[in-house]
């Protein structure tokens, strides 16, 4: 009898240890560790980038936009400033995001206007990416919002990749993500986004992986909306990592100057 | 007229000095837009209507460095050449100064802004763009959140300069008749943006007084105390704006507006505003609503609604904008007013049913 009780206690302790997992400071699972490495590669304290954004509709119509973007993470605060360089009808439009606050500057309006939280879930400048997608791919990373599980190690375009399943820590825009990560460079090669009904809605693929300032970067990304049939291609024209960016850049004053 | 000539000469001199002080190689950006519009006014459902063509060309030049900027625009409307915005900017560590003909847009609400009193409105299009004015505007940044703005408008520009059968006396262009404004604003303070403002100048619309020679139109001296605020509650955007107008020779009156917007998961955006407009001799409360949706990245549909609570007059304003190519946009829509009830009575807005089609090419 005593032996049975002792066995039960041991089983309970083992199950408890397994259930407690990382929340109790135990080692990260393999999937979590891989995702942490991805964040380390993709995330930076600051970034200044010029990108060409090509929006492609389901019937092949294209619109090109050039944007300049600054990102910064400091003092526990995430900041992003975006300005449109072209085409002429949107040139001078600017957007500032400081944590959960967002402001938009439209040259025709001549003033900065706060925009509501729902805009953050919406399309980033008419593209197939949301503002949250941009944040995660930019400075914020994925670990803060998702817990990862390693599904398998497989080949993707002749390179060894980790296949992760990411589940949100809190309910949000997506019910889950599936991510294929280059095992050597820790860069995502493909991300599948599933909506709250579990349907595949978007697929991100990365191309032209290159080494910039000692870190791997995808010079080209494509987000394809599986339901609308539209695509957005982002091409990096220039990028600088971890340069000192004055905090005063991330203010509405910069927007009001028409940057 | 001396102050006007002096002001313009000063601006030209400052613009010249700014231009020559730009470092060699600072790029000059030339741009502009061409607008071609067709408006069909339905005058009588049985007889037909009237077709009008509206063309506009805007040419702009812009040069900017981290310490200064220069911007000038020339507008050609129906073969009439006019100066659009034209100003110089000076940027110092805590101070931005803009001198010249400019738009000084104040307020948090959409289309209707009680605190936006520095530029005269177009009375026939009270929800449209306001006209630029000659001014010097200084923005002093106390820190990243707080800003103090001071503005001087040396030349009074009314919204309406004549009245039927009454001579309107325009104020003499002198420093005594210059207008002034101050504003203290905070942005991003614990999730709130807000400001308080003060304006001292003249009413944009002439009043009529009796004189020994008969009725005379004049512009009453005016003080305006304003405030606005904007915040976000979850996915809901909220704003509030109001102003107390205190003319020298008439009763005080007030205008205020509250509004909200909300985005649905399917991309539909809902906007609602309630506003009370009192102009001293006429007051009314309005509901303004709109539903917007982006259709792909090339089209945007919008249905706007305006309703006067007092007269039960209303208007429906549907519009579809389409991007035809990079820099080329088409807008098609209608302004439909109800008949019978008292009408909207919104400033001097012409309540005639119209359909329109416009093309804008930006370069």
């Amino acid at each position: 009898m005593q032996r049975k009780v002792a066995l039960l206690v041991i089983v309970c302790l083992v199950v408890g240890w397994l259930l407690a997992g990382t929340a109790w400071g135990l080692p990260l699972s393999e999937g979590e560790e891989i995702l942490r490495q991805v964040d380390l590669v993709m995330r930076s304290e600051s970034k200044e980038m010029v990108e060409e954004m090509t929006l492609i509709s389901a019937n092949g119509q294209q619109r090109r936009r050039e944007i300049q973007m600054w990102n910064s993470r400091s003092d526990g605060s995430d900041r992003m400033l975006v300005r449109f360089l072209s085409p002429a009808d949107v040139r001078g439009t600017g957007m500032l995001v400081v944590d959960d606050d967002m402001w938009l500057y439209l040259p025709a309006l001549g003033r900065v206007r706060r925009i509501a939280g729902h805009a953050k879930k919406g399309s980033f400048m008419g593209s197939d990416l949301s503002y949250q997608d941009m944040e995660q791919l930019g400075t914020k990373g994925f670990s803060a919002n998702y817990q990862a599980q390693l599904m398998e190690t497989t080949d993707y375009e002749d390179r060894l990749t980790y296949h992760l399943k990411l589940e949100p820590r809190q309910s949000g825009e997506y019910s889950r993500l599936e991510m294929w990560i280059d095992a050597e460079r820790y860069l995502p090669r493909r991300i599948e986004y599933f909506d709250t009904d579990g349907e595949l809605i978007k697929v991100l693929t990365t191309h032209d992986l290159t080494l910039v300032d000692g870190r791997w970067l995808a010079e080209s990304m494509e987000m394809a909306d599986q339901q609308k049939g539209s695509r957005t291609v982002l091409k990096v024209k220039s990028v600088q990592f971890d340069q000192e960016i004055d905090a005063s850049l991330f203010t509405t004053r910069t927007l009001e100057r028409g940057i | 007229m001396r102050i006007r000539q002096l002001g313009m000469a000063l601006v030209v001199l400052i613009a010249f000095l700014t231009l020559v002080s730009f470092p060699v190689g600072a790029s000059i950006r030339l741009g502009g837009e061409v607008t071609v519009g067709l408006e069909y006014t339905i005058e009588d459902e049985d007889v037909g209507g009237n077709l009008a063509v509206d063309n506009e060309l805007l040419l702009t030049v812009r040069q900017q460095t981290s310490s200064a900027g220069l911007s000038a625009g020339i507008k050609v409307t129906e073969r009439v050449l006019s100066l659009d915005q034209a100003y110089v900017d000076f940027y110092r560590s805590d101070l931005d100064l803009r001198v010249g003909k400019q738009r000084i847009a104040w307020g948090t609400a959409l289309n209707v802004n009680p605190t936006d009193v520095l530029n005269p409105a177009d009375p026939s299009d009270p929800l449209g763009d306001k006209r630029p004015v000659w001014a010097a505007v200084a923005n002093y940044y106390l820190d990243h959140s707080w800003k103090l703005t001071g503005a001087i408008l040396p030349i009074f520009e009314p919204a309406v300069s004549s009245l039927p059968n009454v001579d309107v006396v325009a104020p003499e262009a002198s420093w005594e008749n210059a207008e002034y404004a101050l504003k203290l604003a905070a942005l991003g303070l614990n999730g709130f943006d807000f400001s308080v403002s003060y304006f001292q100048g003249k009413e944009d619309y002439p009043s009529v007084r009796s004189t020994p020679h008969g009725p005379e139109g004049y512009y009453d001296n005016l003080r305006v105390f304003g405030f606005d605020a904007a915040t976000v509650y979850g996915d809901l955007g909220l704003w509030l704006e109001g102003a107390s107008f205190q003319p020298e020779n008439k009763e005080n009156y007030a205008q205020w507006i509250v509004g909200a917007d909300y985005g649905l998961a399917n991309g539909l955006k809902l906007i609602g505003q309630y506003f009370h407009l009192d102009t001293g001799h006429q007051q009314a409360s309005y509901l303004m609503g709109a539903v917007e949706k982006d259709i792909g990245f090339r089209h945007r549909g919008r249905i706007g609604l305006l309703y006067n609570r007092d007269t039960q007059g209303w208007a429906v304003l549907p519009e579809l904008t389409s991007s035809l190519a990079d820099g080329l946009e088409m807008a098609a829509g209608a302004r439909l007013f109800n008949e019978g009830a008292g009408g909207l009575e919104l400033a001097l807005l012409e309540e005639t049913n119209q359909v329109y089609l416009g093309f804008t090419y930006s370069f």
Side-chain angles (χ1 to χ4, degrees):
Chain A
M1 184 65 185
Q2 279 179 336
R3 196 177 287 175
K4 280 184 180 174
V5 171
L7 191 64
L8 191 65
V9 168
I10 290 167
V11 168
C12 286
L13 284 172
V14 169
V15 169
W17 178 77
L18 288 171
L19 288 176
T22 55
W24 293 86
L26 293 169
L28 292 171
S29 72
E30 213 172 348
E32 295 277 303
E33 180 57 33
I34 293 166
L35 193 62
R36 199 179 66 83
Q37 288 292 334
V38 170
D39 282 355
L40 282 176
V41 170
M42 292 186 70
R43 225 162 55 178
S44 58
E45 291 306 303
S46 70
K47 183 162 67 176
E48 181 184 348
M49 188 156 66
V50 176
E51 280 187 309
E52 184 186 83
M53 182 189 277
T54 307
L55 313 175
I56 306 161
S57 70
N59 60 9
Q61 294 246 16
Q62 292 192 12
R63 298 286 179 276
R64 273 201 182 79
R65 287 161 190 191
E66 194 175 28
I67 56 171
Q68 189 166 15
M69 193 158 56
W70 294 262
N71 295 89
S72 165
R73 281 170 62 86
S74 61
D75 308 325
S77 182
D78 286 301
R79 304 179 183 106
M80 178 166 75
L81 179 73
V82 181
R83 73 167 177 172
F84 275 86
L85 305 177
S86 69
D89 55 344
V90 292
R91 186 168 53 214
T93 299
M95 191 190 65
L96 174 68
V97 184
V98 179
D99 298 323
D100 292 328
D101 292 330
M102 286 176 79
W103 293 273
L104 185 69
Y105 175 82
L106 297 170
L109 209 61
R111 64 182 160 144
V112 169
R113 194 163 193 278
R114 177 181 282 271
I115 47 178
H118 59 77
K120 214 167 180 179
K121 294 175 189 163
S123 159
F124 174 78
M125 310 291 193
S127 73
D128 293 296
L129 291 94
S130 68
Y131 290 96
Q132 285 176 352
D133 295 337
M134 291 297 288
E135 272 184 348
Q136 281 165 0
L137 295 164
T139 54
K140 209 166 186 174
F142 292 88
S143 298
N145 295 329
Y146 293 95
Q147 51 190 16
Q149 186 188 350
L150 177 63
M151 305 300 289
E152 60 177 337
T153 304
T154 183
D155 270 358
Y156 181 87
E157 292 184 354
D158 298 328
R159 288 189 62 85
L160 189 67
T161 54
Y162 298 122
H163 174 193
L164 296 190
K165 181 180 172 187
L166 274 61
E167 291 194 331
R169 295 184 193 278
Q170 290 181 327
S171 61
E173 202 179 348
Y174 307 113
S175 63
R176 77 170 199 276
L177 268 57
E178 298 215 8
M179 190 184 276
W180 283 260
I181 295 153
D182 188 301
E184 187 189 337
R185 297 160 180 168
Y186 285 99
L187 268 185
R189 299 303 320 278
R190 178 183 176 91
I191 306 175
E192 295 181 351
Y193 297 80
F194 294 83
D195 66 12
T196 47
D197 295 326
E199 296 288 323
L200 177 67
I201 48 167
K202 292 193 284 194
V203 175
L204 178 100
T205 49
T206 61
H207 311 274
D208 305 326
L209 271 53
T210 184
L211 206 55
V212 177
D213 296 340
R215 66 166 70 220
W216 284 98
L217 171 83
E219 284 195 327
S220 172
M221 282 195 283
E222 180 179 301
M223 181 71 96
D225 190 310
Q226 303 299 300
Q227 290 169 0
K228 295 179 197 158
S230 56
R231 291 179 293 138
T232 297
V233 178
L234 285 164
K235 280 192 176 161
V236 178
K237 295 184 85 176
S238 68
V239 63
Q240 286 185 308
F241 291 106
D242 296 327
Q243 301 287 310
E244 196 170 326
I245 301 177
D246 195 318
S248 66
L249 183 83
F250 300 99
T251 60
T252 51
R253 181 185 187 187
T254 312
L255 289 180
E256 282 172 329
R257 278 186 181 181
I259 42 178
Chain B
M1 289 303 282
R2 191 172 295 166
I3 191 170
R4 188 185 294 261
Q5 289 158 350
L6 187 71
M8 286 183 184
L10 195 65
V11 168
V12 170
L13 179 68
I14 292 170
F16 175 74
L17 290 173
T18 308
L19 193 64
V20 295
S21 68
F22 274 110
V24 175
S27 62
I28 295 176
R29 203 172 67 208
L30 296 168
E33 61 182 41
V34 183
T35 306
V36 179
L38 292 168
E39 272 184 5
Y40 182 74
T41 303
I42 306 159
E43 291 171 340
D44 187 317
E45 283 176 9
D46 298 326
V47 178
N50 177 32
L51 185 68
V53 181
D54 181 20
N55 302 321
E56 189 175 280
L57 168 68
L58 175 69
L59 294 170
T60 58
V61 56
R62 177 97 183 128
Q63 190 173 32
Q64 193 170 20
T65 68
S66 58
S67 61
L70 174 73
S71 183
I74 290 170
K75 196 182 265 187
V76 185
T77 310
E78 291 168 12
R79 297 182 187 173
V80 177
L81 188 83
S82 62
L83 189 63
D84 192 51
Q85 296 197 68
Y87 51 78
V88 287
D89 287 314
F90 299 97
Y91 310 130
R92 296 296 173 261
S93 61
D94 299 322
L95 184 78
D96 289 352
L97 178 67
R98 177 168 288 179
V99 181
K101 198 175 182 192
Q102 57 188 293
R103 174 79 175 94
I104 310 148
W106 283 3
T108 55
L110 294 171
N111 300 104
V112 179
N113 295 102
T115 62
D116 192 16
V117 291
L118 298 173
N119 297 80
D122 178 351
S124 64
D125 185 14
L127 303 178
D129 294 338
K130 291 192 165 189
R131 298 203 306 264
V133 289
W134 291 96
V137 181
N139 285 305
Y140 180 71
Y141 294 86
L142 286 83
D143 58 23
H144 289 172
S145 298
W146 289 90
K147 179 177 77 167
L148 183 65
T149 303
I152 302 172
L153 288 73
I155 302 162
F156 172 65
E157 294 269 357
V160 171
S161 56
S162 62
L163 288 173
N165 306 320
V166 177
D167 286 336
V168 176
V169 180
E172 195 180 309
S174 67
W175 289 113
E176 288 76 39
N177 288 321
E179 298 179 304
Y180 307 89
L182 271 176
K183 180 170 143 176
L184 179 67
L187 286 127
L189 210 66
N190 299 320
F192 280 86
D193 298 346
F194 63 89
S195 78
V196 288
S197 57
Y198 172 74
F199 167 80
Q200 184 174 311
K202 296 194 177 294
E203 287 188 310
D204 279 345
Y205 293 84
S207 300
V208 179
R209 64 185 166 199
S210 297
T211 70
H213 314 290
E216 178 187 81
Y218 74 106
Y219 296 95
D220 203 358
N221 290 328
L222 177 71
R223 294 190 305 169
V224 182
F225 295 89
F227 72 94
D228 64 44
T231 189
V232 168
Y233 182 75
D235 286 344
L236 197 67
L238 299 163
W239 57 87
L240 171 69
E241 186 176 341
S244 168
F245 294 76
Q246 302 183 358
E248 189 177 302
N249 298 303
K250 295 197 294 279
E251 291 284 310
N252 296 349
Y253 52 92
Q255 299 180 359
W256 54 267
I257 183 164
V258 289
D261 65 7
Y262 185 77
L264 301 176
N266 61 8
L268 212 62
K269 188 177 173 186
L270 310 175
I271 303 162
Q273 291 195 135
Y274 179 83
F275 56 99
H276 177 78
L277 291 187
D278 188 344
T279 56
H281 51 86
Q282 182 187 348
Q283 53 178 285
S285 299
Y286 295 87
L287 277 168
M288 180 190 267
V291 181
E292 282 180 5
K293 183 160 171 57
D294 288 335
I295 308 154
F297 57 81
R298 290 181 297 135
H299 311 290
R300 168 173 286 187
R302 186 180 207 274
I303 298 174
L305 178 72
L306 255 173
Y307 172 70
N308 183 326
R309 271 192 65 208
D310 302 297
T311 65
Q312 278 84 52
W314 52 262
V316 181
L317 313 160
E319 186 180 71
L320 177 73
T321 52
S322 290
S323 164
L324 302 179
D326 285 336
L328 179 62
E329 189 177 88
M330 181 195 78
R335 299 182 195 101
L336 305 170
F337 298 85
N338 76 321
E339 291 177 353
L344 271 179
E345 294 184 356
L346 187 61
L348 302 179
L349 180 71
E350 279 185 38
E351 297 182 27
T352 47
N353 294 334
Q354 283 179 335
V355 289
Y356 60 88
L357 175 68
F359 297 88
T360 303
Y361 176 62
S362 306
F363 52 93

